[in-house]
Amino acid sequence: MAKYAIKGKNNLSGEYEVSGAKNSALKLLAASILGDGESIINNIPDIIDIHKMEDILVGLGCKLDITDHTVKINPNSIHTRKLDSELTKKIRASIVLAGPMLAKFSEVQIAQPGGCLIGARPIDDHIDVLSQFGVKVSVSGEYFHFVGKPVAGEITLPEMSVTATENAMMAAVLSEGTTHIRVAAAEPEIADLANFLNCMGADIKGAGTHEIVIKGVDKLKGCHYSVMPDRIEAATALMIACATSSELLIGPLIAANLSLVFKKLIAAGANFSIIKKNNFDYIKTSGEQDIHGVNINTRTYPGFPTDLQSVYAALMTQAKGETRIFETIFESRFGYTEELRKMGAKINIVSPHIINIKGPTKLKPSHIDAFDIRGGGALVLAALCTPGTTVIDHVEMIERGYEHLDLKLTKIGADIQRIE
Ligand code: EPZ
């Protein structure tokens, strides 16, 4: 397992380059199997979860040509309906292969997906949704076996699940007739997926709202598309700038995707502005930051993203006053707080969904562990605020979702060594 050794309190400055969105790119790769030809997807982040998804697709028989941040993928030689169970268990996003496999082949065998240990993360919503399409599901050993061509109709999600919404959308695109998906999640990555599918020839309206209408088409072609910027990475960099009082230019991003996060940070005293550069938004942060505690609760989009909860908590250890965080989405997403407490942070776990933070705290260098992607992001922020050298272990967890974070931070002046 690799480590980061971070010598904190360096002055950070310059441009932090934001990669393509992990939680869009993973789904675009899955969606590409719906096409009858090659798709070319640009701005794919170079992260472990993407490599795992690529391995799953190659295992299905897809031809992939990966150069830098572009993937050419041709699904015409898919020869099996069974996903490699070892790979499937490594990433949560493997579950979104169910929809496209059923739409194209009317069958898929998929093991229980893996992903960050932030809760039980069952797939009951996915089973519920695919059953509403008339798909039959049985369990054989470690595999869920889904059979049947999805039938268009009225689909109501049991909750606003991001990947269950994406599965429903991809299940419907080749089904004759009109499908209404209600109680859909509205995350921007879902709209990015819908744009990709429409570029392939689908007819999807309403993605990014809680009701999506899909008119089925006979076939889809491959298409050339570029992944949207990663809003979670952009906001992580912004919170690092706030915590270290650094003058950074962070982008590209789509500022509208982070409006509540910006509002909360400004309420907490964050000092930054949004500028336009080559048709994208960029965040310009000030070197003068005076942060105080502001309570948040995480919600489905457009609420405060659960994926920023841990990074925000780490920032709040440096904020004046008290902060209460209510994590409403996952039931065990506070694992990172134990590691921050080892550094001296004053964090009290009130319940599996609520923590209280007192700040500001002068953190002390420690040897800590990354348990999941965003919890790891929180530890990196904390280490950058801490004098002395903090060692973070299991950084592969961080690199599942943040592209070359050590190199990007080095580029803006951080003293961070990656140790195998
Ligand atoms: C997606 O996970 C993201 N992952 C997560 O990002 C993100 O935290 C989450 O959405 C919420 O925004 C990907 O897109 C690959 P959900 P997903 O289904 O779709 C419960 C990151 O760090 N639920 O919206 O799996 C679930 O347990 C990752 O980038 C069921 O009970 O999340 C959770 O409490 C972490 N049964 C809630 O719903 C189901 O079948 C929301 O989960 C599905 C979900």
Side-chain angles (χ1 to χ4, degrees):
M1 283 292 191
K3 303 174 171 45
Y4 288 156
I6 300 175
K7 190 166 170 301
K9 301 301 271 185
N10 264 24
N11 255 332
L12 307 181
S13 67
E15 182 162 344
Y16 183 99
E17 198 182 327
V18 176
S19 300
K22 164 176 94 80
N23 289 346
S24 171
L26 286 165
K27 293 50 170 293
L28 304 189
L29 286 171
S32 62
I33 68 176
L34 287 159
D36 282 348
E38 179 182 75
S39 287
I40 302 174
I41 308 175
N42 300 320
N43 202 31
I44 295 257
D46 180 13
I47 54 177
I48 292 172
D49 278 16
I50 287 287
H51 305 153
K52 295 279 176 279
M53 177 62 86
E54 290 163 345
D55 292 346
I56 292 173
L57 292 166
V58 169
L60 284 173
C62 295
K63 296 276 176 284
L64 267 68
D65 172 10
I66 304 162
T67 49
D68 193 21
H69 292 89
T70 294
V71 176
K72 290 180 184 168
I73 175 164
N74 191 320
N76 291 349
S77 44
I78 288 179
H79 53 66
T80 177
R81 309 295 179 250
K82 193 170 189 174
L83 273 65
D84 175 303
S85 64
E86 284 321 301
L87 288 169
T88 301
K89 287 175 191 163
K90 293 197 185 320
I91 56 171
R92 173 74 180 174
S94 49
I95 189 63
V96 299
L97 281 160
M101 287 292 287
L102 286 162
K104 192 155 186 190
F105 304 111
S106 305
E107 183 186 7
V108 65
Q109 291 195 62
I110 185 164
Q112 173 79 32
C116 286
L117 300 175
I118 52 180
R121 307 192 81 187
I123 62 163
D124 51 333
D125 296 354
H126 296 260
I127 292 169
D128 178 294
V129 160
L130 295 172
S131 305
Q132 291 181 60
F133 278 100
V135 171
K136 298 286 172 259
V137 61
S138 59
V139 179
S140 48
E142 61 179 349
Y143 281 95
F144 292 91
H145 191 183
F146 295 94
V147 179
K149 180 160 179 54
V151 175
E154 302 296 310
I155 306 292
T156 300
L157 268 76
E159 63 190 314
M160 286 184 269
S161 158
V162 172
T163 45
T165 301
E166 292 160 337
N167 252 339
M169 223 161 58
M170 291 190 277
V173 285
L174 295 175
S175 298
E176 192 182 341
T178 299
T179 297
H180 282 88
I181 302 172
R182 295 193 169 86
V183 194
E187 272 66 6
E189 291 75 23
I190 295 170
D192 208 33
L193 173 60
N195 292 339
F196 177 74
L197 290 164
N198 285 340
C199 161
M200 295 176 85
D203 180 349
I204 302 172
K205 291 185 177 61
T209 72
H210 297 304
E211 181 164 336
I212 301 172
V213 183
I214 298 170
K215 287 198 177 64
V217 294
D218 293 339
K219 63 197 277 299
L220 295 175
K221 60 189 189 337
C223 84
H224 195 160
Y225 193 80
S226 190
V227 182
M228 66 179 280
D230 194 314
R231 61 193 167 104
I232 304 300
E233 183 186 17
T236 301
L238 170 55
M239 292 187 204
I240 286 173
C242 295
T244 56
S245 295
S246 305
E247 211 171 300
L248 296 183
L249 184 66
I250 301 162
L253 75 143
I254 301 163
N257 292 345
L258 285 167
S259 39
L260 182 57
V261 174
F262 290 165
K263 187 176 180 63
K264 288 292 181 181
L265 287 173
I266 289 166
N271 193 349
F272 64 93
S273 56
I274 306 295
I275 62 166
K276 277 278 185 207
K277 189 178 138 191
N278 350 310
N279 277 339
F280 274 104
D281 298 321
Y282 279 73
I283 305 169
K284 192 166 173 17
T285 64
S286 158
E288 306 291 317
Q289 301 288 346
D290 182 12
I291 306 294
H292 57 268
V294 166
N295 297 341
I296 59 157
N297 55 67
T298 64
R299 298 284 170 189
T300 52
Y301 192 84
F304 194 99
T306 173
D307 290 351
L308 287 171
Q309 177 258 110
S310 58
V311 181
Y312 184 81
L315 171 62
M316 289 298 120
T317 68
Q318 305 304 301
K320 294 185 182 77
E322 291 206 27
T323 307
R324 180 174 172 280
I325 294 180
F326 182 13
E327 167 60 59
T328 70
I329 307 288
F330 288 103
E331 72 276 16
S332 58
R333 198 163 194 175
F334 291 138
Y336 66 92
T337 59
E338 181 50 37
E339 303 308 293
L340 291 178
R341 268 197 297 278
K342 286 178 187 167
M343 300 178 78
K346 296 188 184 68
I347 303 177
N348 174 28
I349 296 187
V350 177
S351 83
H353 289 277
I354 296 175
I355 56 174
N356 280 334
I357 301 168
K358 283 202 179 80
T361 314
K362 196 169 173 335
L363 301 175
K364 53 186 193 309
S366 312
H367 195 142
I368 50 182
D369 263 345
F371 301 130
D372 61 76
I373 302 172
R374 311 304 171 182
L379 302 186
V380 169
L381 181 147
L384 290 168
C385 306
T386 303
T389 298
T390 295
V391 175
I392 303 174
D393 221 335
H394 300 105
V395 295
E396 287 84 353
M397 276 296 177
I398 301 173
E399 295 167 347
R400 285 186 45 214
Y402 288 102
E403 178 183 299
H404 304 313
L405 188 56
D406 55 326
L407 301 181
K408 291 188 180 184
L409 291 174
T410 302
K411 195 168 157 251
I412 57 172
D415 180 344
I416 174 170
Q417 305 299 320
R418 187 178 193 281
I419 305 156
E420 279 301 333

